[in-house]
Amino acid sequence: MTGGAAVEDQGNRGNQAGRVGRADRAEQADRAEQADPAERASQAGLVSQAGLAGQAGQENRTDRAVTEEARPRRRRRGRRIVLAAVAVAVAGAAGAATLGFGGGGPAGGAAESALPPKTAGVTRQTLVDTQSADGVLGYGPATTATSRLSGTLTRLPGTGDRITRGRALYEVDDRPVALLYGSLPAYRALTQGVEGPDVKQLERNLKALGYRGFTVDEEYTYATAEAVMRWQEDRGLDETGTVELGRVVFAPHAVRVESLQAGKGDLTVPGGKVLSYTGTTRAVTVELDAADQRLAEKGAKVTVTLPDDTTVKGRVDEVTTVIDPGDGQGEDARTVVEVVVELPGKKAQKAVGAYALASVDVSFTAGTRRDVLTVPVAALLALQEGGFGVEVVKGATSAYVPVRTGLFSGGQVEISGDGIAEGTTVGMPK
């Protein structure tokens, strides 16, 4: 081949390569234009934060190729963020965990004609947020009875015995220490002339035991002393008309002996532990962290799940803040909230009767929102400018609408915002 022919042949091959290159770039641009907008958004969104710079560079090269062919650039559809259906309440605010890809559509901006793969309707309902805690089924917390007398323990009850009003809880030097009902512990001798709520508490018990001739009030009169002397005579005590400190033990109701801390024949002194007791009806004891004390309001209703998955209704009866000293091996002391849940009614008591002691689950109501607009949590979108939104679908078009979120519960979330009403259709992921 001559030199001139060789040059001409090289020129022809170069022109052909140029045409092929332009054709390839045009074909690539056509494919990019024809790609599903949702797929392009998904591919864009799945790029990790660390690769965003590389992604931007690739997009710039693709844009340049499209520009060379004088093709108009189309808007990319806002990228959906998929939210986990698990809401975490922190300091009274609910949040959702981001599982998928970042970015969101413009607030209130129109979406592309391609609609979301699924939809859901905005519904109006009541949301109840519950929180569960482990509990122990028994008879409630135990209280320790300490002696205020010196002497010898001559009689003690057995574990599990039930003691009612007026009966001896134990005996010191062959004389009874009686159980009476009341919330105020005995702290002084009661004699003629003293006044106070402890006097009224004593007089209520005397009346309940059948003694009369006095007025139930806060004054310890001679009439009260006479009733006390009749009571002392019936119990085999010296008829002094004075109730000495340590002769009676006040408890809110009948008691069940939980355990003994001393034995028959042991010497007892003021402050010495004798026994511990509980209530006589079945109850559940729950320990909550101090941060969860808001759950345990006295009188609040709860649901108790038994080991056989039977559920019974309960009610918060007592709430006490206690100090847990730890295990003594480097574990710090902590403040806990001890909650006693009563199980009222024969049905509940019968259901728990088969269990002497058992672990149960207690569900507390953490929050309730009545008659609110809700959507599935997965319908929420994270907007680029911050906050959450939903993709509102109307016919063949959709638009991103910012919303305010409220209570999260059971995979639903409370929302409100402009244009949000019952029956509104919102986009959902696959």
Side-chain angles (χ1 to χ4, degrees), residues 120-140:
V122 176
T123 60
R124 185 177 294 279
Q125 58 182 297
T126 295
L127 294 183
V128 179
D129 182 21
T130 60
Q131 183 170 325
S132 296
D134 295 332
V136 177
L137 173 64
Y139 291 88

Side-chain angles (χ1 to χ4, degrees), residues 101-281:
F101 31 87
E112 286 198 347
S113 59
L115 298 178
K118 293 177 63 178
T119 61
V122 176
T123 60
R124 185 177 294 279
Q125 58 182 297
T126 295
L127 294 183
V128 179
D129 182 21
T130 60
Q131 183 170 325
S132 296
D134 295 332
V136 177
L137 173 64
Y139 291 88
T143 300
T144 300
T146 57
S147 176
R148 303 301 295 269
L149 302 171
S150 296
T152 301
L153 292 171
T154 53
R155 183 181 175 276
L156 290 168
T159 300
D161 285 356
R162 299 191 179 199
I163 314 296
T164 59
R165 187 191 335 242
R167 302 288 183 176
L169 190 58
Y170 56 90
E171 291 185 1
V172 176
D173 293 340
D174 207 27
R175 295 186 176 186
V177 174
L179 175 70
L180 298 180
Y181 294 171
S183 59
L184 183 62
Y187 65 94
R188 62 176 177 174
L190 296 178
T191 188
Q192 185 176 345
V194 301
E195 298 180 2
D198 52 344
V199 173
K200 189 174 184 178
Q201 183 173 260
L202 172 67
E203 291 177 337
R204 283 176 176 167
N205 280 273
L206 291 172
K207 183 177 180 179
L209 292 170
Y211 299 97
R212 299 291 187 269
F214 58 90
T215 301
V216 177
D217 54 19
E218 295 189 355
E219 297 182 11
Y220 198 115
T221 63
Y222 179 75
T224 305
E226 286 187 317
V228 168
M229 285 188 283
R230 293 194 297 274
W231 171 75
Q232 290 171 330
E233 180 182 10
D234 293 340
R235 297 299 181 269
L237 301 171
D238 294 338
E239 301 169 35
T240 62
T242 295
V243 181
E244 62 181 318
L245 180 60
R247 187 53 61 191
V248 297
V249 172
F250 288 102
H253 36 58
V255 303
R256 171 186 172 274
V257 178
E258 177 77 7
S259 63
L260 300 177
Q261 271 80 53
K264 184 178 180 179
D266 288 352
L267 294 176
T268 182
V269 295
K273 295 180 180 180
V274 179
L275 55 81
S276 63
Y277 59 86
T278 65
T280 58
T281 57

Side-chain angles (χ1 to χ4, degrees), residues 46-412:
L46 287 173
V47 178
S48 67
Q49 186 70 28
L52 287 178
Q55 177 192 9
Q58 181 62 36
E59 290 176 353
N60 288 337
R61 289 194 295 273
T62 302
D63 289 342
R64 287 198 300 272
V66 174
T67 303
E68 288 174 4
E69 296 300 321
R71 297 183 183 275
R73 235 184 310 181
R74 298 174 62 188
R75 272 187 312 144
R76 287 189 305 155
R77 190 175 173 205
R79 291 168 289 178
R80 176 179 297 275
I81 183 166
V82 181
L83 301 177
V86 178
V88 181
V90 179
T98 302
L99 297 182
F101 31 87
E112 286 198 347
S113 59
L115 298 178
K118 293 177 63 178
T119 61
V122 176
T123 60
R124 185 177 294 279
Q125 58 182 297
T126 295
L127 294 183
V128 179
D129 182 21
T130 60
Q131 183 170 325
S132 296
D134 295 332
V136 177
L137 173 64
Y139 291 88
T143 300
T144 300
T146 57
S147 176
R148 303 301 295 269
L149 302 171
S150 296
T152 301
L153 292 171
T154 53
R155 183 181 175 276
L156 290 168
T159 300
D161 285 356
R162 299 191 179 199
I163 314 296
T164 59
R165 187 191 335 242
R167 302 288 183 176
L169 190 58
Y170 56 90
E171 291 185 1
V172 176
D173 293 340
D174 207 27
R175 295 186 176 186
V177 174
L179 175 70
L180 298 180
Y181 294 171
S183 59
L184 183 62
Y187 65 94
R188 62 176 177 174
L190 296 178
T191 188
Q192 185 176 345
V194 301
E195 298 180 2
D198 52 344
V199 173
K200 189 174 184 178
Q201 183 173 260
L202 172 67
E203 291 177 337
R204 283 176 176 167
N205 280 273
L206 291 172
K207 183 177 180 179
L209 292 170
Y211 299 97
R212 299 291 187 269
F214 58 90
T215 301
V216 177
D217 54 19
E218 295 189 355
E219 297 182 11
Y220 198 115
T221 63
Y222 179 75
T224 305
E226 286 187 317
V228 168
M229 285 188 283
R230 293 194 297 274
W231 171 75
Q232 290 171 330
E233 180 182 10
D234 293 340
R235 297 299 181 269
L237 301 171
D238 294 338
E239 301 169 35
T240 62
T242 295
V243 181
E244 62 181 318
L245 180 60
R247 187 53 61 191
V248 297
V249 172
F250 288 102
H253 36 58
V255 303
R256 171 186 172 274
V257 178
E258 177 77 7
S259 63
L260 300 177
Q261 271 80 53
K264 184 178 180 179
D266 288 352
L267 294 176
T268 182
V269 295
K273 295 180 180 180
V274 179
L275 55 81
S276 63
Y277 59 86
T278 65
T280 58
T281 57
R282 307 306 300 278
V284 175
T285 303
V286 182
E287 278 193 0
L288 297 175
D289 291 334
D292 294 327
Q293 186 169 359
R294 62 186 174 83
L295 300 175
E297 294 184 3
K298 186 175 176 63
K301 295 180 180 180
V302 301
T303 300
V304 179
T305 303
L306 303 178
D308 61 358
D309 289 332
T310 300
T311 60
V312 295
K313 298 299 182 182
R315 184 170 56 238
V316 175
D317 183 46
E318 299 178 21
V319 181
T320 309
T321 302
V322 298
I323 303 298
D324 182 352
D327 60 7
Q329 298 181 358
E331 183 179 354
D332 294 336
R334 65 190 184 99
T335 301
V336 298
V337 179
E338 186 177 77
V339 182
V340 179
V341 175
E342 62 177 355
L343 305 173
K346 293 181 179 179
K347 183 178 179 180
Q349 290 295 315
K350 182 179 180 180
V352 301
Y355 304 99
L357 190 68
S359 295
V360 297
D361 183 80
V362 182
S363 295
F364 296 87
T365 299
T368 301
R369 295 285 293 166
R370 301 187 183 279
D371 197 30
V372 294
L373 298 176
T374 71
V375 294
V377 175
L380 287 182
L381 305 171
L383 302 180
Q384 288 178 339
E385 64 272 23
F388 291 108
V390 293
E391 185 176 1
V392 174
V393 179
K394 292 183 179 180
T397 63
S398 66
Y400 298 105
V401 176
V403 296
R404 295 177 296 277
T405 59
L407 182 66
F408 287 74
S409 176
Q412 296 287 115

